[in-house]
Amino acid sequence: MVMSNEISFPAKLINGGVAGLVGVTCVFPIDLAKTRLQNQHGKMAYKGMIDCLVKTTRADGFFGMYRGAAVNLTLVTPEKAIKLAANDFFREQLLEDGSKHKLIREMLAGCGAGVCQAVVTSPMEMLKIQLQDAGRPGEQHRTCTSAASPVRPYTTDSTPKRPSATVIAWELLRTRGLTGLYRGFGATLLRDIPFSVIYFPFFANLNHLGINEATGKAPFAHSFASGCLAGSLAAVAVTPLDVLKTRIQTLKKGVGDEAYDGIIDCARKIWTNEGPAAFMKGAGCRALVIAPLFGIAQGVYYLGVGETILTVFFRSS
C-alpha cells in the first residue's frame, strides 16, 4: 500500500484494520470454497466454487459459509494493519533519499511486509482452515494419527462435534505447545513473501499512472482497480504455495487424504498422486478473494477512515 508520508502511523494501522474487517466480511464465503477445493483428494465432492457454496448452504445454512469467520475477524485487524503499515515503513526507509523508485527496493519493502504479516497470519489461518474444512464431505471428525501430525482428537465423546477455534487452539497448545499453532509457518512465509514482493510494487506503479498532479493522488476508481488487478495477479501467481500451506495446515483428514511431513514431502505427494494441475486448485477463488480485499483496502485509505476516526477521538477526549 502506498500512501502519502503525511498519514500518521496510527492512522495507517486503523486503515489496515478497517480494510481487513470489511474485506473479510465481504469475501469470506469464497475463501471457504477455496479451502475446501484445495483440500479435495481423489473423488471430487465439489465441481467448482458455485457448487461448493450451494452444497455448503444446503447442508449448513447461510451461516455455514462463514464457518471460521470469527477467527479471521478477530485477527485480521492486526494482520492487515501490520502488513500494510509495515510496507509503508519499509518503503519510507528504503526510498527516503527521494530518488526515483527502484523496483528492487520496492520488492524488498514488500518482502519485509510479508515476513511481519506471517507472524499473525500463520496461527490465524491454522485455526481458520480447521473450521472451514470441517464440513467438507468425507472429512472425518478425528485428527490424523500419523507421525506427521500427532495431535489429540478435538472431541472425546462418542458423538463427534465440530470444534470451536478455542477448543482447537487449546488442544494444540496443550499437546504441541506454541509450535502447534505455528504449524505450516514456513509454508506461510513461502506464500506471503512472494505475494507481497509481487503485489506492492505492481500496485504502486499501476496507481502512479493515475496520479493527478493537482491533488497528488489517483482517483478512487483508479486506486480501487489497481488494487484489484495487482491483488488478483499476485494471488494467482502464488496459488501453488497456498495449496501447499493449506494441505500442511489441515490436521483433520478426510477419507483418502494424505498426511504430509513438510513442504517438500507435500509437493512431491501432490505431484505424484494428483498431477501438476492440483497445484492450481482454488486459483479462481483466490483471485476473487484477494482482488476485492485489496480494492477495499485502497478505498479505505482513499477515504481517510483512520484519519477521521482519530480526529473524532481526539476531539471528544
Side-chain angles (χ1 to χ4, degrees):
M1 209 67 57
V2 185
M3 288 80 63
S4 168
N5 292 338
E6 296 177 358
I7 300 177
S8 67
F9 188 73
K12 291 176 182 179
L13 291 176
I14 293 172
N15 284 333
V18 172
L21 287 172
V22 175
V24 166
T25 301
C26 293
V27 304
F28 193 83
I30 304 174
D31 186 62
L32 179 140
K34 185 267 308 181
T35 296
R36 291 188 176 180
L37 289 172
Q38 287 183 340
N39 267 332
Q40 290 193 114
H41 298 227
K43 184 179 179 181
M44 300 301 178
Y46 306 115
K47 297 177 182 177
M49 180 186 71
I50 301 298
D51 183 53
C52 178
L53 294 177
V54 169
K55 288 179 177 177
T56 298
T57 304
R58 287 176 180 172
D60 301 320
F62 175 79
F63 290 105
M65 294 189 297
Y66 282 87
R67 188 181 303 281
V71 177
N72 261 34
L73 291 173
T74 301
L75 297 178
V76 74
T77 299
E79 186 257 345
K80 281 291 181 288
I82 289 170
K83 180 173 185 172
L84 302 180
N87 179 69
D88 280 350
F89 173 78
F90 288 124
R91 285 181 65 87
E92 289 169 7
Q93 299 304 310
L94 291 169
L95 303 170
E96 62 182 353
D97 57 4
S99 60
K100 186 177 180 180
H101 290 187
K102 296 181 180 179
L103 181 61
I104 187 66
R105 293 189 178 187
E106 292 178 327
M107 293 173 72
L108 286 172
C111 178
V115 172
C116 293
Q117 173 202 13
V119 175
V120 177
T121 299
S122 188
M124 178 181 76
E125 296 209 355
M126 176 71 178
L127 297 175
K128 180 199 72 173
I129 286 171
Q130 313 315 313
L131 298 171
Q132 286 182 329
D133 199 51
R136 176 170 55 95
E139 190 273 335
Q140 298 178 352
H141 298 283
R142 58 178 176 80
T143 53
C144 177
T145 56
S146 72
S149 57
V151 183
R152 284 170 53 93
Y154 301 136
T155 56
T156 56
D157 57 15
S158 58
T159 304
K161 298 177 182 179
R162 288 171 182 168
S164 67
T166 304
V167 170
I168 297 173
W170 171 247
E171 289 293 346
L172 286 169
L173 286 171
R174 195 156 73 91
T175 59
R176 298 286 297 274
L178 190 61
T179 57
L181 280 177
Y182 276 88
R183 178 180 173 84
F185 180 69
T188 304
L189 281 176
L190 197 62
R191 180 200 64 176
D192 287 352
I193 291 177
F195 177 90
S196 296
V197 166
I198 295 170
Y199 172 78
F200 286 111
F202 190 33
F203 166 76
N205 287 280
L206 283 177
N207 195 54
H208 183 73
L209 296 175
I211 290 180
N212 186 312
E213 293 184 1
T215 62
K217 61 182 181 180
F220 173 83
H222 184 89
S223 291
F224 182 86
S226 297
C228 288
L229 182 58
S232 58
L233 175 68
V236 172
V238 302
T239 293
L241 302 173
D242 188 59
V243 171
L244 293 175
K245 184 198 73 67
T246 299
R247 294 286 184 90
I248 290 171
Q249 289 188 321
T250 302
L251 297 176
K252 298 171 72 179
K253 304 300 180 182
V255 177
D257 286 1
E258 287 273 8
Y260 305 109
D261 187 18
I263 297 171
I264 295 176
D265 180 61
C266 181
R268 179 181 60 80
K269 287 179 177 177
I270 291 175
W271 181 280
T272 303
N273 300 332
E274 302 172 58
F279 288 101
M280 294 305 293
K281 284 183 175 180
C285 290
R286 264 188 67 75
L288 289 174
V289 168
I290 298 298
L293 268 177
F294 282 90
I296 290 168
Q298 300 309 323
V300 170
Y301 273 104
Y302 183 90
L303 296 173
V305 174
E307 298 90 302
T308 301
I309 292 175
L310 288 175
T311 300
V312 172
F313 176 78
F314 284 114
R315 278 181 181 175
S316 61
S317 61

